[in-house]
């Protein structure tokens, strides 16, 4: 996938008429929901729920990448559901199912997406699936959001793909200056002109609130150096991320210009109270020419890449003979 391409959304499918059993059921969510965050902002999402409650069955929350709609992960949610998990997906405020009108003047930041929106999902999961283990899959910023929620201590396991917070010096060296111009110069300039980033009309991603753009574009190597990161750290009187103790698998791929080794391990360094494993993949490890930042969640990789996340969520370990190279393991 080209650096200038946006993720290709799967075709929208109708929700199943009733609760799914996971075996032979039509794919797609069994229910939609609206969940208020602590500040009253309504968040839209989808649930894949098995008909019979089981306290041993984990529920997985999928955290999307920045300004990628949660529908992009539907097929992966189907896969997890078919393999015995309940699943929740949702959109951050201002995106997709959680957008309410114009984004001009709409206030939202990366920290809002984590500390308010993901936090609301954690609380919903505890209420709707009482007693069940809670796991998280995070794509790109979605892995960072894990550490921003106050209730993240309840999470059992985390699996991320390309998770980092866009520090420009961590980008792939060959593309660094091009990416700097696109994401740290042109994106904030257009945001200043329109009052939000018109990403959809450019085919880059969904339209994006200006506060999220400020967090992304600020050239600081530490999350607490980003505008909303400073405010969150001051409010918490300490370091976010410290509440997370879940075992973390971070997957990166060599042709992802955002998810370099340095970028992935910069974020992993924040999760100091978690066992952390970094698995580095090369496309040729699975007989492919490219994977990139987005394609991991395309259904063509269901048999070759998705089992890596599935096995981690099931066992908190890598499957025997997993492709790739394990770069970091801390216990």
């Amino acid at each position: 996938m080209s650096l200038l391409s946006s993720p290709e959304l799967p075709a929208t499918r109708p929700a199943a008429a009733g609760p799914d059993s996971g075996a032979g059921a039509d794919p797609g969510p069994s229910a939609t929901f609206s969940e208020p965050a602590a500040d009253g902002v309504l968040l839209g999402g989808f649930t894949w729920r098995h008909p019979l409650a089981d306290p041993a069955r984990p529920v997985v929350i999928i955290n999307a990448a920045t300004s990628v709609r949660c529908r992009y992960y539907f097929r992966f949610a189907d896969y997890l559901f078919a393999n015995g998990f309940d699943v929740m997906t949702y959109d951050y405020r201002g995106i997709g199912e959680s957008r309410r009108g114009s984004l001009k003047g709409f206030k939202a930041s990366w920290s809002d997406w984590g500390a308010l929106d993901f936090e609301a999902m954690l609380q919903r999961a505890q209420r709707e699936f009482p007693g069940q283990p809670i796991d998280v899959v995070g794509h790109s910023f979605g892995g960072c959001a894990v550490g921003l929620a106050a209730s993240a201590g309840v999470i059992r396991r985390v699996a991320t793909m390309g998770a980092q917070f866009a520090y420009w010096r961590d980008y792939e060296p060959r593309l660094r200056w091009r990416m700097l111009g696109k994401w740290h110069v042109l994106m904030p300039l257009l945001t200043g002109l329109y009052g939000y980033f018109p990403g959809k009309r450019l085919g880059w991603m969904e339209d994006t609130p200006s506060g999220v753009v400020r967090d992304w574009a600020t050239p600081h190597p530490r999350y607490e150096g980003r505008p909303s990161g400073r405010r969150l750290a001051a409010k918490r009187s300490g370091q976010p991320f410290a509440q997370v103790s879940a075992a973390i698998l971070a997957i990166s791929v060599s042709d992802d210009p955002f998810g370099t080794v340095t970028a992935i391990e910069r974020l992993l360094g924040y999760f100091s109270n978690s066992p952390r494993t970094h698995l580095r993949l090369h496309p040729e490890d699975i007989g492919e020419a490219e994977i990139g930042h987005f394609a991991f969640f395309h259904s063509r990789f269901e048999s070759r890449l998705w089992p890596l996340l599935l096995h981690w969520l099931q066992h908190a370990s890598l499957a025997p003979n997993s492709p790739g190279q394990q770069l970091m393991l801390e216990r």
Side-chain angles (χ1 to χ4, degrees):
M1 177 173 292
S2 165
L3 174 62
L4 298 179
S5 298
S6 60
E8 181 181 345
L9 290 171
T12 301
R13 294 163 298 179
D20 290 326
S21 67
D26 291 337
S30 51
T32 62
F33 65 81
S34 293
E35 179 72 21
D39 60 353
V41 173
L42 275 179
L43 307 170
F46 302 88
T47 301
W48 285 249
R49 182 195 294 273
H50 290 264
L52 298 178
D54 182 352
R57 181 191 304 120
V59 54
V60 178
I61 302 172
I62 300 177
N63 283 350
T66 295
S67 299
V68 175
R69 296 185 67 171
C70 70
R71 290 176 179 268
Y72 180 62
Y73 306 92
F74 266 23
R75 292 191 179 112
F76 181 68
D78 288 341
Y79 172 79
L80 292 177
F81 181 72
N83 280 280
F85 292 84
D86 292 318
V87 186
M88 292 170 51
T89 68
Y90 70 102
D91 281 313
Y92 306 121
R93 62 186 61 201
I95 306 298
E97 310 298 320
S98 301
R99 180 169 180 172
R100 307 287 185 268
S102 173
L103 293 184
K104 187 173 184 178
F106 180 76
K107 296 188 181 302
S109 67
W110 264 349
S111 291
D112 291 333
W113 283 0
L116 293 172
D117 300 354
F118 176 51
E119 172 68 17
M121 295 304 114
L122 285 174
Q123 294 188 22
R124 180 179 180 86
Q126 293 176 82
R127 186 177 70 248
E128 296 295 317
F129 301 92
Q132 294 181 220
I134 298 174
D135 297 338
V136 179
V137 171
H139 181 202
S140 195
F141 168 76
C144 184
V146 170
L148 304 179
S151 298
V154 305
I155 301 170
R156 182 187 66 155
R157 293 169 190 159
V158 175
T160 68
M161 163 56 206
Q164 36 66 49
F165 52 87
Y167 177 48
W168 73 275
R169 289 185 183 273
D170 292 342
Y171 294 157
E172 166 61 41
R174 183 174 54 87
L175 298 171
R176 183 176 295 152
W177 295 107
R178 180 183 175 192
M179 294 173 70
L180 179 68
K182 177 178 179 177
W183 300 113
H184 299 264
V185 178
L186 184 56
M187 182 170 66
L189 283 174
L190 289 173
T191 300
L193 179 64
Y194 287 93
Y196 67 97
F197 179 60
K200 196 166 186 177
R201 73 182 68 180
L202 295 172
W204 291 8
M205 55 187 186
E206 292 293 305
D207 296 341
T208 306
S210 59
V212 171
V213 173
R214 282 193 296 273
D215 282 334
W216 183 333
T218 298
H220 198 285
R222 301 287 296 174
Y223 185 79
E224 61 271 28
R226 307 301 172 94
S228 73
R230 288 196 299 269
R231 294 192 296 272
L232 182 62
K235 181 179 179 181
R236 297 271 179 89
S237 300
Q239 174 61 264
F241 302 88
Q243 71 276 23
V244 182
S245 59
I248 299 174
L249 170 65
I251 293 178
S252 65
V253 295
S254 61
D255 66 331
D256 175 359
F258 293 100
T260 60
V261 171
T262 304
I264 299 302
E265 296 191 354
R266 186 181 299 279
L267 176 59
L268 281 178
Y270 280 86
F271 293 99
S272 57
N273 292 322
S274 292
R276 292 157 286 175
T277 299
H278 180 187
L279 182 67
R280 184 71 169 174
L281 297 173
H282 296 266
E284 54 266 31
D285 292 337
I286 60 167
E288 289 286 334
E290 61 179 355
I291 300 172
H293 190 60
F294 292 107
F296 188 101
F297 293 98
H298 287 191
S299 57
R300 71 178 183 271
F301 292 129
E302 177 176 344
S303 64
R304 289 174 291 165
L305 293 179
W306 294 1
L308 294 171
L309 299 188
L310 178 65
H311 194 276
W312 182 266
L313 296 176
Q314 290 172 331
H315 305 288
S317 66
L318 291 171
N321 302 315
S322 293
Q325 179 185 11
Q326 186 173 299
L327 295 185
M328 187 172 82
L329 175 64
E330 296 188 6
R331 299 252 180 223

